[in-house]
Amino acid sequence: MADLIAPEELMLGIETSCDDTGVAIVRPDGTVVASAVASQVELHDRYGGVYPEMASRAHVDAILPTVRKVLDDAGLTPADLTAIGVTRGPGLIGSLVVGTNSAVGLADGWGLPVYGVNHLRGHLRSADLDERRVTYPAMVLLVSGGHTLLAHVQENGDVELVGSTRDDSVGEAYDKVARMLGLGYPGGPAIDRLAKTGTPDVDLPRPGRDLELDFSFSGLKSAVSRFLAAHPDHPPENVAASFVEACLDVLLSKCRKALEQYPSRCLVVVGGVAASPQLRERAAALCTATGVELCLPPLRWATDNGAMIGLAAWDYRARGLQERPRPSTSLTIADW
């Protein structure tokens, strides 16, 4: 395969912001040449969530073998690569340090430039992996374990943050409610599967209605906790269905408001929660009603992965934004 791919077209993307080690090789047009993810789900499941120190140690063990696997799967050598892109934040500081230090070491050893990529911009670009989907200007809903936000994005990459969470992200709320229901970690897929079998018969709040385009999910999480304490025998599938319905009502009502206030050609839904079949269905209905396109990443690119970082790194290269990556836990989606 190496002799069929022009070397100037290949970016190695490395993602270690949280608990998975993601590595991929990506062309500028979003074609993913090879990708691999070393999952830490079994490691953290016993704790009901990510144990930061153990996550960073697991990245140390996994990162170089995962890089080697991706190169081998693609039939490439480091000499075939153009550059390296690596997540510099936001995320867990220990995990970010492992990723950025490894990327800088590899870049120095291989004589390649290295780009420190904003993880949130990586998610933004995930909707264009495998093929171009996003049309601009676009309204982006980013929903993941650590982030819930709305941003208005122009074709040149300029981003305006228009709404964010005041407390828990929707992904955090999913994980915490999953623990209440004894569903284990990660909570999102388990909650969605259980909710499909239930009826939303629990009257839960829709918090954040007075926050315009900002979000709040801590009150919803607390309401579920109080209900379970008062009704321990209530069917768990109905609790899950009611919780998912409340989350989706909040998310989609904010999206509708944002689309009314900011002219957009499409609604882009990205982040780990974008894998939710319920969210995809409700987002499609909203877009049909409002006359905008719906842009979703393929399911395999919704969660954290190296391919989205590799594609975003091409944007950094086009802008000449090259400096040695410095980990940062406080980046916003508007930052490069």
Side-chain angles (χ1 to χ4, degrees):
M1 183 181 296
D3 59 348
L4 301 179
I5 303 172
E8 68 271 13
E9 293 182 333
L10 300 172
M11 180 74 69
L12 182 72
I14 298 175
E15 154 60 24
T16 64
S17 65
C18 190
D19 59 333
D20 284 342
T21 307
V23 180
I25 297 172
V26 186
R27 288 172 169 163
D29 65 358
T31 299
V32 182
V33 178
S35 176
V37 175
S39 174
Q40 298 183 17
V41 168
E42 291 186 9
L43 174 64
H44 300 290
D45 181 52
R46 73 192 77 170
Y47 305 106
V50 178
Y51 195 125
E53 176 63 23
M54 296 184 72
S56 59
R57 290 174 181 269
H59 284 306
V60 171
D61 292 337
I63 191 164
L64 293 182
T66 308
V67 168
R68 173 50 57 192
K69 172 176 171 49
V70 167
L71 287 169
D72 288 346
D73 287 349
L76 298 168
T77 70
D80 297 310
L81 301 173
T82 304
I84 298 174
V86 61
T87 299
R88 70 182 183 93
L92 301 176
I93 188 61
S95 296
L96 294 171
V97 167
V98 174
T100 53
N101 284 355
S102 298
V104 168
L106 291 173
D108 286 349
W110 294 342
L112 297 174
V114 58
Y115 301 92
V117 175
N118 183 334
H119 176 79
L120 303 178
R121 284 186 174 266
H123 274 304
L124 191 160
R125 296 294 275 130
S126 66
D128 278 332
L129 288 168
D130 294 336
E131 65 180 78
R132 295 273 306 195
R133 298 178 183 85
V134 180
T135 54
Y136 296 94
M139 182 58 62
V140 175
L141 173 67
L142 196 162
V143 277
S144 68
H147 307 279
T148 300
L149 61 86
L150 282 164
H152 197 233
V153 184
Q154 304 296 333
E155 190 161 14
N156 65 358
D158 288 347
V159 177
E160 179 184 0
L161 180 65
V162 301
S164 60
T165 183
R166 299 288 184 90
D167 40 62
D168 287 354
S169 70
V170 67
E172 287 176 300
Y174 264 76
D175 283 341
K176 290 173 182 176
V177 170
R179 285 202 294 273
M180 296 176 197
L181 295 173
L183 299 179
Y185 172 83
I191 286 277
D192 282 336
R193 286 193 297 270
L194 184 62
K196 283 185 176 181
T197 68
T199 301
D201 61 359
V202 181
D203 184 19
L204 294 174
R206 271 59 171 169
R209 288 179 176 174
D210 59 341
L211 297 179
E212 192 57 24
L213 296 179
D214 283 346
F215 301 89
S216 173
F217 289 99
S218 64
L220 175 58
K221 171 199 66 183
S222 299
V224 173
S225 178
R226 290 193 297 270
F227 180 85
L228 289 173
H231 306 88
D233 296 325
H234 198 81
E237 62 272 21
N238 291 1
V239 177
S242 302
F243 168 74
V244 170
E245 187 76 8
C247 286
L248 296 183
D249 283 351
V250 171
L251 292 173
L252 275 302
S253 66
K254 301 288 185 177
C255 286
R256 181 181 287 273
K257 285 183 181 180
L259 290 170
E260 291 170 352
Q261 295 179 29
Y262 295 86
S264 305
R265 294 183 63 188
C266 70
L267 173 66
V268 186
V269 184
V270 293
V273 183
S276 164
Q278 290 96 325
L279 176 56
R280 287 175 171 243
E281 181 179 343
R282 287 283 298 273
L286 172 63
C287 288
T288 298
T290 56
V292 302
E293 297 177 57
L294 175 62
C295 296
L296 296 165
L299 286 175
R300 67 179 299 205
W301 306 129
T303 53
D304 291 352
N305 61 82
M308 70 182 195
I309 301 304
L311 182 55
W314 286 114
D315 298 336
Y316 284 69
R317 184 174 177 83
R319 285 182 170 240
L321 299 175
Q322 182 189 347
E323 60 180 61
R324 294 178 80 84
R326 293 174 175 82
S328 173
T329 61
S330 59
L331 298 178
T332 73
I333 196 170
D335 295 321
W336 282 96

